Amino acid sequence: MSGSSHTTDGVVLRATAVGESDLVVALFTRELGRVSAIARGARSSRRRFGGALGLLVHSELALGRRTRGSELWNLERATALDDHAALGGDPVVLGHASYGIELVREMTPAEVPEPAALDLLLGLWRALAPGPSPSLLRAFELALCERLGHGLSLDGCAGCGRSDELDAGAVFDPVRGGAVCRLCAPSCRGLGVRPLAATVRDYLRRAAATSLDDASALVVADDDRVAARDLMLAFVGHIVGKPLRSVAFVVQVHAGLTRPPT
Ligand SMILES: [Zn+2]
């Protein structure tokens, strides 16, 4: 084993073709966090990396130190450990799996190890196997945000901290990062501020306290589920600071699926 190379596990967040035969891959690795690496010959020889650089594949990765003056690590070897590519067979599931990838890609700083965030992404993919679930996405978003220092304030007011005025007249403020009580609500005038029903707050608290494997079983009224989705998208959108492509994809898929059959 070379003293200058790192062996760790991780996933591909994005792959970009460069030159005749290479790929530049954005990787999310357990020990190095989010890194960019060049995979030489990845496109000219399928044998070199096999299926290990595919989307939704969890792989062992051997990364060589970058050359002086380069931002890129050198991907020396990649071996598939676990393949979730079958999720791609359902466009809604693929959209949800891609949403997880996009959140990790946009929310993690470069080259900071966040092994718990990798495990959350892998857990999302595992839990998506039986089918898509809005509650699973909520549990994933809440856990990832908490892990990355953007914990949503649901038990106390994001303004004053008190917990006894959140049931009636509370609002959700994506900029302040959570529930804002009846007394502080008049000072919330930013974009995305909306009423926060006690039942929606309760649903999000339950989603935050549930493991990804159990999240799909959460029971919630349709209106509350939609309200929770919209406020979480507003919150995540505020953190990321730009539109999420996977969300647009899922919207398009749903639009196509709900069109009457011809
Ligand atoms: Zn308050």
Side-chain angles (χ1 to χ4, degrees):
M1 198 178 103
S2 156
S4 65
S5 90
H6 255 285
T7 301
T8 181
D9 66 304
V11 299
V12 173
L13 299 174
R14 178 184 271 158
T16 311
V18 287
E20 296 274 300
S21 58
D22 304 337
L23 275 182
V24 167
V25 281
L27 301 169
F28 191 57
T29 69
R30 187 171 301 277
E31 289 176 21
L32 302 169
R34 183 167 58 78
V35 298
S36 293
I38 185 152
R40 293 196 194 282
R43 285 160 58 232
S44 56
S45 161
R46 292 191 147 265
R47 249 177 334 165
R48 175 104 201 259
F49 297 103
L53 298 184
L55 197 66
L56 305 173
V57 179
H58 178 210
S59 297
E60 184 178 85
L61 306 160
L63 289 153
R65 289 258 176 240
R66 57 195 131 193
T67 46
R68 198 187 300 267
S70 169
E71 292 284 295
L72 294 177
W73 293 70
N74 183 32
L75 185 64
E76 295 168 348
R77 201 178 68 251
T79 312
L81 298 171
D82 199 4
D83 187 335
H84 302 268
L87 296 178
D90 177 331
V92 175
V93 172
L94 176 63
H96 289 192
S98 304
Y99 176 66
I101 294 174
E102 192 171 16
L103 285 198
V104 166
R105 192 177 71 218
E106 299 299 333
M107 287 175 61
T108 54
E111 310 215 355
V112 177
E114 286 287 359
L118 177 62
D119 286 331
L120 281 171
L121 185 57
L122 297 172
L124 172 69
W125 294 351
R126 265 196 309 275
L128 277 169
S133 156
S135 296
L136 170 59
L137 287 192
R138 300 296 82 80
F140 171 79
E141 288 159 337
L142 288 161
L144 185 72
C145 287
E146 176 79 37
R147 179 62 246 171
L148 297 177
H150 302 288
L152 196 60
S153 180
L154 292 169
D155 294 321
C157 170
C160 68
R162 54 191 292 181
S163 57
D164 56 343
E165 295 288 351
L166 286 170
D167 281 340
V171 297
F172 178 83
D173 187 336
V175 177
R176 280 181 162 178
V180 174
C181 78
R182 177 178 70 85
L183 305 173
C184 297
S187 66
C188 293
R189 297 172 187 283
L191 207 62
V193 173
R194 65 199 71 206
L196 177 63
T199 47
V200 172
R201 188 169 69 90
D202 172 65
Y203 168 56
L204 289 172
R205 291 171 71 201
R206 287 187 286 131
T210 305
S211 76
L212 298 188
D213 287 329
D214 296 331
S216 303
L218 286 180
V219 176
V220 59
D222 283 352
D223 287 355
D224 289 346
R225 190 189 67 237
V226 170
R229 176 198 66 192
D230 290 349
L231 70 82
M232 284 307 297
L233 286 178
F235 179 59
V236 166
H238 169 70
I239 297 170
V240 170
K242 65 180 187 187
L244 293 159
R245 290 165 53 175
S246 53
V247 174
F249 173 76
V250 172
V251 169
Q252 282 168 13
V253 169
H254 280 299
L257 288 177
T258 54
R259 197 178 299 146
T262 51

